[in-house]
Amino acid sequence: WTEEELFAHPNPLELFYPDPEIRQQVIDTILITPDKQFREWQPQRKDGAIVACLWANFKLPDGNTISLGYDISKRKKSEQILEEYQGKLKSLAVQLTLAEEQERQRIAADLHDNVGQSLALTRLQLVAARNKLPLDKIQLAQFDDMSKSLLKVIQDTRHLIFELSSPSLNEIGLGAAIEEWMQDNIKNKHGIEVELFNHVKNLPMENDLRVILFRNVQELLINAVKHARAKTISVWMEYESNTLCITIQDDGVGFDPKLLEQSNFSKKHFGLFSIHERMSNLGGSLKIKSRPGGGSKFILYLPITL
């Protein structure tokens, strides 16, 4: 607008702020409480376009007020683009987890159907040959050693199949899969005491959702084993106020969560960043509570409406 157009209008602010409520807020900041801190407003241009501006009002010694405005439209546009990229990143984190799980299931199925069954058949054939052939004590011992070796390979293959994709996740449910994984991979392997307190029974949940939650819990448990030097690790599953809450708590060395914020989830903490992004994309969140020497608590929140 030209100066003539502004002065010809009985209320020039009406040109910039057609909404009377917003216009009154602007008037209040100018006439009633001049504020040196910049406030964000969105005035309207003559062509109808909205401009993002920062405004601050300074009171002069003579009693008048001067208003200073700074156009931040380009910055707001950049922020919008950044938010869009962040949204895509969160979605990609979920898609990557699901694609990884599909590949895990495919490899696990191939191991079971081909390698696992072939090894089991070979061991049966070995036992049959041992029983039919006339063998001395040394040869019998060699056959027994081969049979034991094959059995060990079969057991290792079964363990690898479970590591790749937990069958309990789809057959029994999330809680059972977590408990089974904790027993096999934390207690039996590392001697760390584990407990699961599952207060969630028969909660309907899509398979993809179960997969993501299971992988998130799995990564948090692995982190506790690697870094916490804990003696016990506990997992609580609760459902309240349309929200599933999964808490992973250890009695380890703990840490300062502020360091994570300061490092902005550096490469060292990329796993936590991935969990955060996956939960955020689902509409949930990851909360971290810890202090040096006081253990750690990681809480997954996910809204689920029955």
Side-chain angles (χ1 to χ4, degrees):
W1 284 272
T2 63
E3 288 188 27
E4 289 77 9
E5 289 174 318
L6 293 177
F7 286 117
H9 198 284
N11 186 358
L13 280 179
E14 191 174 337
L15 297 174
F16 313 134
Y17 303 101
D19 187 323
E21 184 176 346
I22 299 297
R23 186 165 64 249
Q24 187 58 49
Q25 292 176 9
V26 174
I27 294 173
D28 291 343
T29 61
I30 296 175
L31 301 180
I32 301 176
T33 56
D35 192 351
K36 295 181 181 179
Q37 294 184 346
F38 281 90
R39 298 172 180 267
E40 184 176 335
W41 300 103
Q42 295 184 332
Q44 180 176 291
R45 298 196 319 189
K46 188 176 183 179
D47 60 6
I50 302 298
V51 183
C53 292
L54 290 178
W55 286 92
N57 310 305
F58 299 88
K59 197 148 190 170
L60 302 178
D62 61 3
N64 290 319
T65 299
I66 182 171
S67 298
L68 302 178
Y70 177 56
D71 188 344
I72 59 168
S73 298
K74 290 184 179 180
R75 192 187 81 181
K76 297 293 288 186
K77 181 64 175 178
S78 299
E79 290 175 354
Q80 181 182 355
I81 294 174
L82 180 60
E83 288 179 359
E84 291 175 356
Y85 277 119
Q86 288 175 335
K88 291 178 181 178
L89 178 61
K90 293 173 183 177
S91 177
L92 181 61
V94 171
Q95 293 174 19
L96 183 61
T97 299
L98 295 176
E100 180 185 356
E101 180 63 23
Q102 291 175 356
E103 187 64 14
R104 283 171 174 266
Q105 291 176 358
R106 186 190 66 79
I107 296 174
D110 286 344
L111 283 173
H112 177 270
D113 296 341
N114 299 317
V115 179
Q117 291 185 358
S118 296
L119 287 171
L121 179 60
T122 301
R123 185 166 181 265
L124 290 174
Q125 292 171 337
L126 184 66
V127 172
R130 176 189 181 280
N131 295 332
K132 290 181 179 180
L133 294 175
L135 304 171
D136 57 32
K137 290 184 179 180
I138 295 177
Q139 292 171 328
L140 284 173
Q142 290 174 338
F143 265 85
D144 289 340
D145 288 340
M146 286 188 289
S147 179
K148 291 178 182 178
S149 296
L150 273 173
L151 179 60
K152 178 65 167 59
V153 174
I154 291 171
Q155 291 172 340
D156 290 344
T157 302
R158 288 174 179 171
H159 181 75
L160 179 58
I161 291 172
F162 177 76
E163 275 284 290
L164 286 169
S165 181
S166 169
S168 301
L169 187 59
N170 295 326
E171 296 172 4
I172 304 177
L174 179 61
I178 292 173
E179 185 173 24
E180 190 174 13
W181 193 91
M182 289 168 65
Q183 291 290 335
D184 289 346
N185 295 275
I186 298 181
K187 184 175 182 178
N188 296 343
K189 271 190 175 182
H190 303 280
I192 300 174
E193 290 298 321
V194 294
E195 290 181 292
L196 174 69
F197 302 94
N198 187 1
H199 302 291
V200 180
K201 303 296 182 181
N202 302 321
L203 181 64
M205 192 182 305
E206 294 181 2
N207 183 55
D208 288 350
L209 202 56
R210 280 199 302 269
V211 168
I212 295 169
L213 289 173
F214 179 76
R215 293 303 170 195
N216 285 348
V217 172
Q218 188 182 51
E219 287 189 39
L220 291 172
L221 290 170
I222 291 173
N223 282 344
V225 172
K226 285 184 177 179
H227 308 296
R229 300 201 294 272
K231 295 181 180 179
T232 62
I233 302 175
S234 303
V235 176
W236 280 268
M237 296 180 63
E238 300 170 301
Y239 181 78
E240 188 176 351
S241 301
N242 293 328
T243 301
L244 174 63
C245 176
I246 304 178
T247 302
I248 298 92
Q249 184 171 357
D250 65 70
D251 60 354
V253 295
F255 62 96
D256 185 356
K258 292 182 180 179
L259 297 178
L260 291 178
E261 299 175 3
Q262 293 172 0
S263 66
N264 197 24
F265 291 102
S266 62
K267 291 181 179 179
K268 183 179 178 181
H269 308 108
F270 183 74
L272 290 177
F273 171 76
S274 298
I275 294 171
H276 178 274
E277 292 300 289
R278 290 194 291 261
M279 293 302 298
S280 179
N281 184 72
L282 295 173
S285 62
L286 166 65
K287 303 296 181 184
I288 302 174
K289 298 180 180 180
S290 182
R291 59 182 176 84
S296 301
K297 183 184 291 186
F298 299 86
I299 310 171
L300 301 172
Y301 295 100
L302 183 65
I304 297 179
T305 304
L306 298 180

